[in-house]
Amino acid sequence: MSRPGIRPGIRSGSVSPAKVEARIGRTIPWLARSLLAGAFALHAATPHTAAAAAGGVSIAPPATRAIAADRGTAGSPPPERATAAAVRVDALGDTLTVGRRPDRIVSLSPSVTEILFALGVAQERIVGVTRFCDFPSEARTLPRIGGIIDPSLEAIVLARPELVLAVRGTPIEQIRRMRQLGLSVFAIDDQAGLGEIEEILGQVLELTGSDDSLRAGALIASYRNGLPAYRRWSASIPRSALPRVLYCDPAHPGWSAGPGSHIDDLIGLAGGTNAIGGTIAWPQLSAEQVATLVPDRLLLAWNEGSDRETVRAELARQPGWKGSAALRDGRICWVDAGVLMRPGPRTLQALRELAACLHPERAQPEETDGALPPGRIAP
Amino acid sequence: MSPSGPATGRPDEGAPEAAAVVGRLRRLALLFVVLAAAGAGSLSLGATVLPPSRIWHLLFASGTDDPLRQVLVELRIPRVVLGGLVGAALSISGALLQAFFQNPMAGPYVVGVSAGAGLFAVAAMTLGLAFRFGPFGAVPLAAFAGGLFAVGLVQALAGRVRFLRSEGLLLIGIAVGSVFSALTSILLLFSRDGVQGALFWMMGTLSSADWTRVTMVAWWVAAAGLPALFLSRDLNLLLWGDDVATSLGSAVPRVRRWILVLSSLLAAASVAACGVIGFVGLMVPHVARGLLRTNDHRFVLPGSAAVGAVLVIVADAFARAVWAPSELPIGAVTSALGAPFLVWLVVRRHRRF
């Protein structure tokens, strides 16, 4: 069942069955190997093998290289380029031929839903979202297709999408099944660093088109100009004036963000240094570590509707946090949890808030564009 | 736990009466009728509820471009069939291993299959391995390799234990499983991508069922499950202990080797197809023995297959319907539905003695 507009393209990298067999041969004992060989011979005789393999997902090295090459050019497509046919490689290394503008889009992640709305994709064109899609508030009324790691294939098929936007966290097996069912699937890298947000916005815009191209263009331009401005701005601050910032989500007081996470990026651009070093992007801190880190500032995730004083008092009761001077003295920057955890259209505003909180005395880079998306940043 | 406890069971005393055999056959046939009913009934449940008349219409009367038909033929039916196959495979595997260890606590995951499969699968996800083999991608294949690797390792280590052979193997299996689980946790800590997918996979899901995978698993289950039926007599003798079985003409070492190979293949194939569905292999043989009121493996093995298939099919229907369109992990549902039933059976049997 192939759709008229967008079709899964021919895969760029594949592994020959003989090679696979050789690889498996090294790992499985003889009995399993001979049984497997028998099963494969039998399987090769069935006609649908090639179709199934072609619909499958792989993260083949050549395709990954193709992404890297693509990154240089896909930076900022003009808003109305969605009509030109082009082959695009997604975050998992699979290709999709971009054709006619899709009128029925399913989003498999809250970050994608947020991007669609921010780019001005009309609400009627979004025919399925996850149960976690809560921003903007219009998203709550859209039909649900399940969760992020447990989307219901039945519900997706019944939504008759022309384009399914997945993310890197979408289970690969599910993506394989969706392609097999004739759906056009494209995986977005929703855990990318801040520097890639502009590219991702451009990528989604190219696939979906916009019903409000002014808004889409302004959003992308704000990232194209805003992030370098903050990079220059933060680089101009002397190292001695950079506060050490510790990120914490009070709902999970042990979890923090280290190098390689987008929150680490955010802290750096906002003129701080991450109190967490090492190599783990999302480390789990012991009470002892929390007690000995002694950051200058805390970056706390904040959920709408929760009382900050209560959250602060609750956190102060947690092991390791009792003696925290930053917590006691209120040296805290609050940022909306949804904005913090989903790098996307609202991230620039979070960056602005955090920079203002860390360096209230310094003038911020001037506004590069007035047409920012509506944010829900803590006042 | 005493090895002669009711849950392990010993073959029934004396020659079975013809009437008792007929009764068991009747109950076995009833189990398969229940299986057919559960399979047909669960086709109705999912993101959209389809009444039986609608299913009939979709299958035989409607055009091919109806998305509901695609949902039914390409998603729901393979899912139900795969659930039945996986349930049967895990249960036969469990029945074999309980006879092997002469221990009611044994199950396919106790000998390290699930831990090994989980570790290799998570490693494949974090390394982003990409190769395909028939209908299986890197992750299921890694799970399969990991399950077999773990069992091979456990058996190689247990070969050094001279006494208490089955208990030693059980303990080593638990120890190896713990090491693999620990390594899995460490891997998950260091990986950025695929962690959530790995977690859901480790709780089991049938959502990626398709016809090619169903065919593959069906061949596995046939190739490893049918030979197990021919071991029934030897399994019955094993329940009396190795010495008695040997003196009654069973080639015990060879039988033991076959049990281990077949049960590992069955469990690893099911893990490869749909992740780790816990508790089925441990529990279902007990349920089958309780329902059939016998420990005779000629009845227990096919009975376990039927009960296991019913349990997984019903649990999966429940998992995808109760919170539709979101799904519950099926491992949680099999445990939640099956465990109280097992407790009831054990209590009932104990009271009788």
Side-chain angles (χ1 to χ4, degrees):
Chain A
M1 201 177 73
S2 96
R3 304 283 174 193
I6 302 174
R7 292 189 314 276
I10 295 162
R11 47 196 317 87
S12 39
S14 66
V15 182
S16 74
K19 221 167 166 184
V20 173
E21 208 174 14
R23 252 185 259 181
I24 290 163
R26 286 197 291 274
T27 47
I28 301 183
W30 64 270
L31 180 78
R33 208 188 319 158
S34 55
L35 276 172
L36 257 181
F40 183 77
L42 189 113
H43 187 75
T46 49
H48 45 247
T49 309
V57 175
S58 82
I59 313 170
T64 317
R65 278 198 295 277
I67 271 196
D70 210 36
R71 281 211 169 120
T73 54
S76 54
E80 287 309 323
R81 224 178 68 184
T83 44
V87 176
R88 287 287 169 261
V89 182
D90 75 1
L92 296 170
D94 284 284
T95 55
L96 184 74
T97 304
V98 182
R100 196 174 60 82
R101 192 180 96 149
D103 285 327
R104 301 182 67 81
I105 302 166
V106 163
S107 155
L108 297 185
S109 148
S111 52
V112 171
T113 306
E114 202 172 300
I115 290 174
L116 290 176
F117 275 97
L119 287 173
V121 173
Q123 197 178 328
E124 308 83 67
R125 290 169 61 207
I126 307 172
V127 294
V129 296
T130 72
R131 63 172 181 269
F132 301 106
C133 295
D134 55 1
F135 187 91
S137 52
E138 294 95 304
R140 296 173 204 239
T141 61
L142 294 173
R144 303 288 170 91
I145 50 82
I148 301 166
I149 57 167
D150 57 333
S152 163
L153 292 169
E154 294 190 0
I156 294 172
V157 168
L158 291 176
R160 297 196 223 201
E162 290 168 289
L163 175 66
V164 179
L165 287 174
V167 289
R168 273 173 79 171
T170 310
I172 287 180
E173 280 294 304
Q174 299 284 44
I175 294 182
R176 178 188 72 91
R177 278 301 273 140
M178 284 183 241
R179 291 221 165 86
Q180 227 176 36
L181 292 164
L183 300 175
S184 300
V185 188
F186 193 87
I188 304 288
D189 187 358
D190 67 334
Q191 289 300 310
L194 298 195
E196 275 110 58
I197 293 178
E198 180 202 343
E199 179 200 325
I200 288 166
L201 293 172
Q203 216 175 27
V204 175
L205 179 62
E206 188 187 28
L207 290 171
T208 63
S210 170
D211 299 284
D212 184 352
S213 13
L214 274 182
R215 184 177 173 182
L219 176 66
I220 291 179
S222 72
Y223 276 87
R224 186 184 311 147
N225 305 324
L227 286 185
Y230 271 95
R231 196 155 281 138
R232 286 191 298 274
W233 178 77
S234 57
S236 73
I237 303 173
R239 283 196 69 82
S240 56
L242 297 178
R244 290 175 74 240
V245 180
L246 175 65
Y247 160 74
C248 170
D249 180 352
H252 312 277
W255 291 96
S256 189
S261 64
H262 63 269
I263 289 182
D264 186 75
D265 271 5
L266 190 71
I267 292 173
L269 285 182
T273 54
N274 195 343
I276 310 276
T279 54
I280 300 178
W282 303 100
Q284 193 163 16
L285 303 181
S286 64
E288 220 170 278
Q289 271 173 299
V290 171
T292 52
L293 273 172
V294 197
D296 301 316
R297 286 275 180 172
L298 292 174
L299 167 56
L300 296 186
W302 170 79
N303 285 301
E304 198 183 46
S306 63
D307 177 51
R308 289 183 191 171
E309 272 315 303
T310 319
V311 172
R312 193 174 133 187
E314 182 62 36
L315 186 59
R317 277 196 291 274
Q318 300 294 324
W321 289 94
K322 287 190 188 77
S324 167
L327 190 64
R328 189 186 54 231
D329 303 345
R331 282 179 276 133
I332 302 172
C333 300
W334 299 88
V335 178
D336 183 282
V339 184
L340 266 185
M341 288 321 294
R342 300 170 197 165
R346 291 184 288 163
T347 303
L348 191 58
Q349 203 167 340
L351 174 58
R352 193 164 286 140
E353 300 281 343
L354 183 59
C357 173
L358 293 179
H359 299 281
E361 75 293 347
R362 274 173 205 272
Q364 299 246 342
E366 61 233 49
E367 298 283 320
T368 49
D369 201 309
L372 280 172
R376 233 189 339 146
I377 309 296
Chain B
M1 184 167 301
S2 137
S4 59
T8 314
R10 299 243 165 186
D12 302 309
E13 304 284 336
E17 303 277 334
V21 171
V22 170
R24 277 169 211 153
L25 279 176
R26 195 176 294 145
R27 281 193 286 271
L28 190 58
L30 193 64
L31 282 183
F32 278 93
V33 171
V34 171
L35 169 59
S42 66
L43 285 182
S44 295
L45 298 174
T48 306
V49 175
L50 297 171
S53 59
R54 186 101 176 86
I55 291 177
W56 186 263
H57 179 81
L58 284 170
L59 280 181
F60 301 107
S62 83
T64 49
D65 54 347
D66 188 339
L68 274 177
R69 187 186 151 91
Q70 193 185 19
V71 163
L72 183 65
V73 174
E74 290 182 47
L75 288 170
R76 219 171 272 183
I77 297 179
R79 190 167 171 159
V80 169
V81 176
L82 186 67
L85 287 171
V86 163
L90 287 174
S91 308
I92 296 174
S93 177
L96 289 174
L97 287 171
Q98 283 169 12
F100 182 99
F101 289 116
Q102 295 157 36
N103 189 320
M105 308 271 281
Y109 295 158
V110 177
V111 289
V113 175
S114 89
L119 175 62
F120 276 47
V122 170
M125 284 185 210
T126 47
L127 295 176
L129 288 187
F131 52 82
R132 298 199 66 78
F133 186 80
F136 292 104
V139 171
L141 284 177
F144 192 80
L148 291 182
F149 174 72
V151 173
L153 184 64
V154 168
Q155 209 194 1
L157 291 171
R160 302 178 174 278
V161 182
R162 281 181 191 283
F163 303 101
L164 298 175
R165 188 175 156 76
S166 62
E167 286 86 346
L169 191 49
L170 203 56
L171 285 175
I172 290 171
I174 293 170
V176 168
S178 300
V179 171
F180 281 6
S181 303
L183 292 176
T184 307
S185 310
I186 292 169
L187 258 186
L188 284 176
L189 180 66
F190 280 94
S191 72
R192 233 181 105 197
D193 291 324
V195 173
Q196 294 171 322
L199 287 178
F200 205 74
W201 186 86
M202 283 168 74
M203 289 187 286
T205 175
L206 286 165
S207 58
S208 45
D210 61 38
W211 281 115
T212 47
R213 188 165 291 188
V214 166
T215 320
M216 194 79 154
V217 174
W219 281 109
W220 274 112
V221 173
L226 293 180
L229 290 178
F230 291 102
L231 289 176
S232 297
R233 191 181 151 273
D234 293 301
L235 290 171
N236 288 343
L237 292 177
L238 260 190
L239 292 184
W240 293 100
D242 287 13
D243 296 342
V244 178
T246 307
S247 67
L248 287 174
S250 179
V252 171
R254 206 180 63 209
V255 168
R256 282 192 173 276
R257 205 156 48 234
W258 272 109
I259 294 178
L260 212 53
V261 167
L262 294 178
S263 59
S264 308
L265 287 179
L266 286 168
S270 85
V271 171
C274 62
V276 179
I277 302 181
F279 211 59
V280 174
L282 169 71
M283 174 189 72
V284 167
H286 297 295
V287 175
R289 283 186 210 108
L291 292 177
L292 295 168
R293 295 184 207 151
T294 179
N295 293 318
D296 185 343
H297 282 91
R298 288 173 301 168
F299 299 100
V300 170
L301 288 180
S304 296
V307 173
V310 170
L311 175 64
V312 173
I313 286 173
V314 170
D316 185 49
F318 190 80
R320 63 178 190 261
V322 71
W323 195 22
S326 297
E327 291 181 4
L328 302 174
I330 185 174
V333 184
T334 51
S335 300
L337 286 182
F341 192 50
L342 175 64
V343 169
W344 176 73
L345 271 178
V346 170
V347 168
R348 198 188 64 162
R349 284 192 70 157
H350 268 292
R351 232 184 7 217
R352 281 214 311 220
F353 288 103

